[in-house]
Structures are given as structure tokens and as C-alpha cells.
Amino acid sequence: MTTTEKKEMEVVKGLDVARYMGRWYEIASFPSLFQPKNGADTRATYTLNPDGTIHVLNETWSNGKRGYIEGSAYKADPKSDEAKLKVKFYVPPFLPIFPVTGDYWVLYIDPDYQHALIGQPSRSYLWILSRTAHMEDETYKQLLEKAVEQGYDVSKLHKTTQNDTPPESDSAPTDAKGVWWFKSLFGK
């Protein structure tokens, strides 16, 4: 095992999973290969499954089209009270063959479960989430400070465009092929 100067990340203990469920808007994140660079209105919706796992729906809108991926999350260690989750997605979404598993660590959540800071042990990914599409500057700054305390380089954060009226899941086409491709041939 290699040693590192960065201290081990502290995660939330005793996360109330039921309270954590619902919709979270991405306020900022480290750019990811899995999301379009011009993605807007990015959000995650979590739903508790009967078996105790969590259904994950990640959505983003790019050029008027909805991109999404579904997966599941579960506690990395069922015996631990630490909010260290594993998330699993199958890629590509339209031909789910390859499972991709990642870490999802809740580094901070406010007492009212309105704002969250999510990371993972390599510090390659970071998300600032909110129950609303916009966040007060002061709250954002506090979350940045918490990320820095956890050893993150917050200069890599990219703010996510969130519209005042977030789109509904069925308000945009989800497939760039088929009918939409056919229409484009005729300039529609």
C-alpha cells in the first residue's frame, strides 16, 4: 500500500437513506467522460428498492435531447455506518452488457438534507448537489471549503447550467436516431 500526503476522506456517518431519496440537481462537478461537455439541467433521482438497494437515474440535456443512464447503488459495507456506496451502471445504456462500478461517498450533507458533497477515494470525481436547481453563493462557498478540507482541487469544478424551469423527463427526445434522424433528412 502506498502512502499519500492527503489524509483519508471523512464521510457522513449514519446517513438516513430514506431522507436521501428523491431528486438532486447537479450544481457543479468535475468534468466526466460519461457526460456531454455542454450538458445542462443535469440531475440524479434516487428511489429505494424493496431489497434495500437504490435505483439511480442520472439525466442531462444536451442540444435539446435528454441523455440518461440508470443503475443501482448499495452500501459498500452493509455493517458500516459510513455513507460509502457503490454505484453500478451497465454500458452502453441501449445494450447493457458491461457493468461499470464506482464509488459514491457522501462527504457532507446538511441537517435538512438539502445540499450534499459527493466524492470518491481517488478524488477524481466531485459533485455538489442540491434539492433545488440553484444554490445560494454562500452555501456553495461553504461546500467548496469542505471539498478543499477533503483534499480536492476545486479549481477543476465546472458549474452546471441549470434552467429556472427544469425540463420534465418526457419533454425532450431521448433518441438521436430513428424518427429524429429521418426528420433531419428533410430539414424538419
Side-chain angles (χ1 to χ4, degrees), residues 6-188:
K6 290 180 181 174
K7 68 181 177 97
E8 190 174 332
M9 280 192 271
E10 292 177 23
V11 299
V12 170
K13 289 186 170 60
L15 181 74
D16 184 338
V17 176
R19 278 186 79 191
Y20 194 74
M21 295 301 97
R23 180 169 288 170
W24 289 91
Y25 295 90
E26 181 185 280
I27 302 301
S29 68
F30 282 3
S32 159
L33 294 172
F34 304 107
Q35 285 180 241
K37 288 190 182 354
N38 64 342
D41 295 310
T42 305
R43 64 194 185 202
T45 305
Y46 306 123
T47 312
L48 204 52
N49 291 321
D51 65 359
T53 61
I54 299 163
H55 175 261
V56 178
L57 170 63
N58 288 345
E59 300 172 284
T60 192
W61 275 258
S62 175
N63 300 322
K65 292 187 174 64
R66 173 182 172 254
Y68 72 97
I69 190 167
E70 294 182 80
S72 61
Y74 51 93
K75 283 192 84 167
D77 178 0
K79 296 182 188 85
S80 172
D81 70 341
E82 292 184 314
K84 293 181 178 179
L85 304 176
K86 291 280 189 188
V87 288
K88 184 193 295 184
F89 296 100
Y90 285 91
V91 293
F94 53 84
L95 189 66
I97 296 175
F98 306 106
V100 176
T101 304
D103 292 297
Y104 181 107
W105 289 11
V106 182
L107 305 177
Y108 171 79
I109 190 155
D110 71 296
D112 295 326
Y113 281 61
Q114 296 301 300
H115 314 292
L117 183 68
I118 310 300
Q120 43 82 266
S122 73
R123 294 177 175 84
S124 300
Y125 297 98
L126 182 68
W127 293 272
I128 292 177
L129 305 179
S130 175
R131 292 291 192 182
T132 57
H134 301 287
M135 180 181 280
E136 296 288 328
D137 287 342
E138 190 57 38
T139 303
Y140 184 74
K141 285 179 191 159
Q142 289 169 359
L143 290 169
L144 288 183
E145 287 170 15
K146 290 183 184 308
V148 169
E149 288 168 12
Q150 296 278 19
Y152 275 94
D153 174 5
V154 295
S155 69
K156 295 193 285 188
L157 269 175
H158 170 77
K159 279 203 166 182
T160 305
T161 301
Q162 292 284 355
N163 290 299
D164 289 334
T165 313
E168 287 307 314
S169 297
D170 57 2
S171 67
T174 56
D175 185 3
K177 304 173 202 65
V179 173
W180 301 102
W181 177 82
F182 190 72
K183 281 184 176 179
S184 69
L185 289 176
F186 298 95
K188 302 271 183 201

